[in-house]
Amino acid sequence: MNPVKRDLTVLLTAPRGFCAGVDRAIEIVERALEKFGAPVFVRHEIVHNDHVVGRLRDMGAVFIDELEEAPDDRPVIFSAHGVPKSVPAEAEQRNMIFVDATCPLVSKVHVETERHSTQGLEILLIGHAGHPEVVGTMGQLPDGEIKLIETEEDAEKFEPQDPDKLAYVTQTTLSVDDTAAIVGILQRRFPNISMPHKEDICYATTNRQEAVKAIAPRAQALIVIGAETSSNSKRLVEVGERHGCRFAVLAAEAAHVDWDKLESVKPDTVGVTAGASAPEHLVQEVVEALKARYNVTVETIETAKEDVTFKIPRLLTA
């Protein structure tokens, strides 16, 4: 005799999953394969998700770590996270066909750094060392021109060359709350620091964090679908924990969720969301896995509507 399933409310956040920059990057690879045929080379993961990368690999995309691994006579695509200026410069020198899939919101940060540099300002980048986006942004200027600030402690200790000639930019996928704390320290210490004209943290990162904040007071547990390498997905877990979820976990897919640990929390309400590079079918697989274990009622909590789209490069639309 089958045991009676416990009742469980699943709070499904909206928005969740793919953002406009991820949609654009994936479409760029798909269109390049249609136009040029396989193989098309992609420098680094186009977005941080193994399922997305695997599907594109099956279609004929070849993912490489550095440009030197690509032949001169095949197209190459740069990932959504952005690349140092040296990379397209090398591609041009080799007369390669290349397409830049950098998210336009990351490109905006690149433009800001150049503007600050031409104004003679010392530039701080708030971000995580080693993340591809940070590597790309710091690579817009010569080595040493951009200083990385990772923590509140870094912000307290930093000593500028001139406190009145200082500017900051940020990685686009950070925690809104953590970044605000760091910015607050910089503004207290350096009142004349130049700020971005518009917030650098992207709309999708902000929206997904706000959605988690909205469900956290009701949910004893939170499942975030996303890759371990995805900065914005990791931040969603942190936001959930900070706002009261006893069990907040990042899982690449349903099979990676520790279901026994979830059950040990004895939740009556579980939140489900996805980072900006996680496809929707993975979310639905988690919902189905919950339905197999519980008597589930799904409630969608919508905190924002997203209608942002970004243009595809002209090379692929002609």
Side-chain angles (χ1 to χ4, degrees):
M1 186 174 177
N2 291 330
V4 176
K5 293 180 181 178
R6 288 199 304 107
D7 290 343
L8 183 73
T9 299
V10 173
L11 303 179
L12 201 54
T13 66
R16 63 181 179 272
F18 282 177
C19 62
V22 167
D23 277 330
R24 174 179 179 268
I26 293 169
E27 186 176 351
I28 283 172
V29 179
E30 292 170 343
R31 289 203 184 200
L33 286 164
E34 288 176 12
K35 179 163 185 170
F36 301 109
V40 166
F41 288 78
V42 184
R43 186 184 179 276
H44 293 178
E45 292 184 339
I46 188 69
V47 297
H48 282 153
N49 189 274
D50 287 345
H51 290 267
V52 172
V53 169
R55 183 178 70 83
L56 294 173
R57 185 180 285 119
D58 289 344
M59 294 172 65
V62 177
F63 293 88
I64 57 176
D65 290 327
E66 298 299 340
L67 198 58
E68 63 190 29
E69 299 170 54
D72 292 351
D73 60 349
R74 294 306 302 167
V76 65
I77 297 167
F78 306 144
S79 81
H81 309 103
V83 294
K85 271 192 171 179
S86 58
V87 176
E90 180 188 343
E92 286 183 348
Q93 192 266 330
R94 291 170 57 185
N95 292 317
M96 301 177 77
I97 296 172
F98 64 92
V99 185
D100 190 352
T102 300
C103 173
L105 298 179
V106 175
S107 296
K108 164 186 166 290
V109 177
H110 292 179
V111 170
E112 287 174 351
T113 62
E114 293 202 63
R115 187 181 71 247
H116 292 320
S117 180
T118 59
Q119 293 170 345
L121 301 180
E122 187 176 5
I123 303 164
L124 306 181
L125 169 60
I126 302 171
H128 297 298
H131 188 278
E133 183 185 329
V134 167
V135 173
T137 298
M138 296 187 79
Q140 298 306 300
L141 296 173
D143 286 351
E145 282 206 28
I146 300 177
K147 314 295 194 309
L148 185 63
I149 301 291
E150 294 192 81
T151 64
E152 292 180 43
E153 184 181 7
D154 289 347
E156 290 283 9
K157 288 183 175 179
F158 176 74
E159 293 299 333
Q161 297 166 14
D162 183 339
D164 292 323
K165 290 188 175 181
L166 198 59
Y168 77 84
V169 295
T170 80
Q171 184 179 333
T172 64
T173 55
L174 298 177
S175 160
V176 174
D177 295 337
D178 288 346
T179 305
I182 293 172
V183 168
I185 292 168
L186 293 174
Q187 289 176 324
R188 168 175 55 78
R189 295 189 64 212
F190 315 115
N192 294 326
I193 192 168
S194 293
M195 300 178 291
H197 291 310
K198 188 179 179 183
E199 181 64 66
D200 283 340
I201 297 175
C202 85
Y203 77 94
T205 297
T206 301
N207 287 348
R208 281 147 190 73
Q209 290 180 21
E210 290 302 315
V212 168
K213 290 178 186 179
I215 66 170
R218 291 179 56 191
Q220 295 83 43
L222 172 70
I223 300 172
V224 178
I225 304 305
E228 190 62 37
T229 50
S230 168
S231 174
N232 77 87
S233 300
K234 286 184 172 180
R235 303 295 81 78
L236 293 176
V237 175
E238 294 169 359
V239 169
E241 291 174 338
R242 188 172 293 160
H243 288 80
C245 290
R246 285 175 285 161
F247 177 84
V249 63
L250 178 66
E253 55 188 290
H256 292 188
V257 176
D258 187 337
W259 296 106
D260 290 337
K261 189 171 181 180
L262 173 64
E263 177 55 26
S264 71
V265 178
K266 292 283 189 277
D268 56 47
T269 305
V270 172
V272 177
T273 189
S277 51
E280 177 63 16
H281 75 86
L282 298 178
V283 175
Q284 295 307 319
E285 286 176 9
V286 167
V287 173
E288 290 305 312
L290 287 165
K291 287 180 177 179
R293 293 166 172 81
Y294 302 94
N295 180 30
V296 166
T297 301
V298 176
E299 184 180 338
T300 298
I301 307 296
E302 184 175 59
T303 53
K305 291 188 180 295
E306 293 181 351
D307 56 5
V308 177
T309 58
F310 295 131
K311 291 181 179 178
I312 300 296
R314 190 174 301 169
L315 173 65
L316 299 177
T317 59

